[in-house]
Structure formats: structure tokens, C-alpha cells
Amino acid sequence: AGIGGFRSGFEANKCKCVFSSEIDEHAGEMYKANYNETVFKDITKIDEKEIPDHDILLAGFPCQPFSIAGEKKGFNDTRGTLFFDIERILKEKKPKAIVLENVKHFKSHDNGNTLKVILNALNNLGYTTSWSVLNAKDFGVPQNRERTIIIGSLNGIKFDFNKLNVQKPICIKDILEEDSGQIEYLEENEYTLIQNPKRQLSGLIFTGYRN
């Protein structure tokens, strides 16, 4: 659950959270501060039958434990990873939809085999899947944060990422105020310019520094 980013987004769209799990102690403390709820801890020790019924499962999981060749073995391919716990919950509770989040490079982890195994496992459980890499800056969030998003549905409908409403990122120049005498201008001997400055992904260009 982290500190509740997934939850905030879905609650803003009239969903109600019925269960959360987060093993990191500090994230759990922040989660409680944000929602006044104590989060369950180690998901590997929680019986899937004791988890409340739900319509949508939201989850993030590490990909580091994966080192497989994508042999479509389902549970055998995912055993020993945190995705195995997502899999057993899906098998027991059968939520209508699932949204998974991971780092950008998840799509190419183990030469793409990890993603292949995840999609095969979801397909074997009856979920129609699609995935894409999304960037927070394209959705009104002031952060350049790319993440692999996987969406699955039990109703046979494939989520179309092309229908998402992408926004033009806001740049610093878009919010700068007019100079009303408050801007400080430096003399040439007071600053040093960087040769061949690089443009950051966020749009920032560090052109120099004050001496």
C-alpha cells in the first residue's frame, strides 16, 4: 500500500478501501497518519480467505526476485515472489479488475520474461490484460515519474490506454510572474555559465551557478 497513493486516487473516484497491506514500518506509520487506519503488515502471512471481498485489487510488487524464462508455469513461475501472493488472492477473491504498478524498467526486466510471466499468470486466472508505461507529468502531477501500469479485467474488455486524457506538462516559464522589480539581475562577474547544459526530463535546464 505504500503511503496510500493508489488509495487516494481511487477514493477520489468514489471507491472505498476495504483492506491494505504494507510491510515497511515507516510507510505504515505515514499511512496511518493519512487515513487514520492501521495497515496490515506482511501479506505473505495473511490468509487470502480472511481478506474482505473486493471489486478491484491494487498492488505494487518488486521484480528483483524474478529470474525465469517465461515457461507459462503459473504458480511455479511466481512462487517465491510477492506476485505469488497477489496471484493467490486473485484466485480466491476473483475481483472484477486489477491494477498493478511497477518501475519503468519492469517491462524489460529479464529481457521481458518477467512481464510475460505476469501477463500469462493473469490470463490463466481469466483476466484480459493490457499494459503501458505512464508518466505522472502527463496527468497534472508536478513530477517526472514513469511507471509500468498493468490493468486486467474479468469481463473480457481490454483497457485502452490510448483513451486516457493526457495533459500538456506545466513548465516553469508557464507560471513565472511578470518582473515587477523583484527579480535580481547579476553582473557577468557574479556567475558562471555551464558549457553545453543538458535539458532535464522535467524540462529544467541548469545553465549556470552563482560564483
Side-chain angles (χ1 to χ4, degrees), residues 134-164:
L134 302 180
N135 197 324
K137 70 181 178 63
D138 296 324
F139 300 95
V141 179
Q143 184 180 29
N144 188 64
R145 190 178 184 88
E146 293 180 288
R147 288 294 183 268
T148 301
I149 304 295
I150 302 171
I151 297 181
S153 172
L154 275 184
N155 63 8
I157 296 176
K158 192 169 186 176
F159 186 84
D160 188 354
F161 283 93
N162 292 322
K163 291 185 177 180
L164 291 175

Side-chain angles (χ1 to χ4, degrees), residues 74-131:
F75 273 41
N76 291 330
D77 269 343
T78 62
R79 199 176 297 275
T81 71
L82 203 61
F83 181 77
F84 174 79
D85 298 283
I86 295 173
E87 208 172 358
R88 64 183 175 85
I89 294 169
L90 291 175
K91 190 174 183 180
E92 173 66 27
K93 293 298 177 176
K94 296 180 174 59
K96 298 173 184 176
I98 178 172
V99 183
L100 303 179
E101 175 265 355
N102 218 302
V103 295
K104 173 186 177 182
H105 299 296
F106 176 78
K107 61 183 176 61
S108 54
H109 183 264
D110 194 19
N111 296 317
N113 287 321
T114 300
L115 176 60
K116 185 191 302 181
V117 167
I118 296 302
L119 295 177
N120 284 332
L122 294 175
N123 295 157
N124 289 337
L125 290 172
Y127 288 89
T128 300
T129 55
S130 58
W131 67 274

Side-chain angles (χ1 to χ4, degrees), residues 10-192:
F10 276 77
E11 283 190 335
N13 288 275
K14 301 181 180 179
C15 292
K16 179 183 178 182
C17 181
V18 295
F19 177 85
S20 298
S21 172
E22 172 55 56
I23 195 171
D24 185 84
E25 180 180 351
H26 300 293
E29 291 175 358
M30 183 59 69
Y31 190 96
K32 184 175 182 179
N34 284 338
Y35 302 103
N36 196 29
E37 290 181 16
T38 299
V39 68
F40 289 87
K41 293 184 178 179
D42 189 351
I43 192 64
T44 65
K45 293 181 171 61
I46 299 173
D47 188 339
E48 60 269 23
K49 293 180 175 62
E50 297 179 0
I51 295 175
D53 292 339
H54 50 280
D55 296 305
I56 309 171
L57 184 144
L58 314 170
F61 59 97
C63 65
Q64 289 87 344
F66 283 91
S67 182
I68 30 77
E71 297 295 337
K72 302 183 180 180
K73 295 178 181 177
F75 273 41
N76 291 330
D77 269 343
T78 62
R79 199 176 297 275
T81 71
L82 203 61
F83 181 77
F84 174 79
D85 298 283
I86 295 173
E87 208 172 358
R88 64 183 175 85
I89 294 169
L90 291 175
K91 190 174 183 180
E92 173 66 27
K93 293 298 177 176
K94 296 180 174 59
K96 298 173 184 176
I98 178 172
V99 183
L100 303 179
E101 175 265 355
N102 218 302
V103 295
K104 173 186 177 182
H105 299 296
F106 176 78
K107 61 183 176 61
S108 54
H109 183 264
D110 194 19
N111 296 317
N113 287 321
T114 300
L115 176 60
K116 185 191 302 181
V117 167
I118 296 302
L119 295 177
N120 284 332
L122 294 175
N123 295 157
N124 289 337
L125 290 172
Y127 288 89
T128 300
T129 55
S130 58
W131 67 274
S132 183
V133 174
L134 302 180
N135 197 324
K137 70 181 178 63
D138 296 324
F139 300 95
V141 179
Q143 184 180 29
N144 188 64
R145 190 178 184 88
E146 293 180 288
R147 288 294 183 268
T148 301
I149 304 295
I150 302 171
I151 297 181
S153 172
L154 275 184
N155 63 8
I157 296 176
K158 192 169 186 176
F159 186 84
D160 188 354
F161 283 93
N162 292 322
K163 291 185 177 180
L164 291 175
N165 293 322
V166 176
Q167 304 175 23
K168 182 181 178 181
I170 298 175
C171 299
I172 287 181
K173 65 180 181 180
D174 298 327
I175 61 173
L176 287 178
E177 297 176 350
E178 296 294 328
D179 182 10
S180 58
Q182 301 297 312
I183 297 177
E184 178 185 8
Y185 292 91
L186 301 178
E187 300 293 335
E188 286 192 22
N189 62 348
E190 296 181 292
Y191 63 86
T192 298

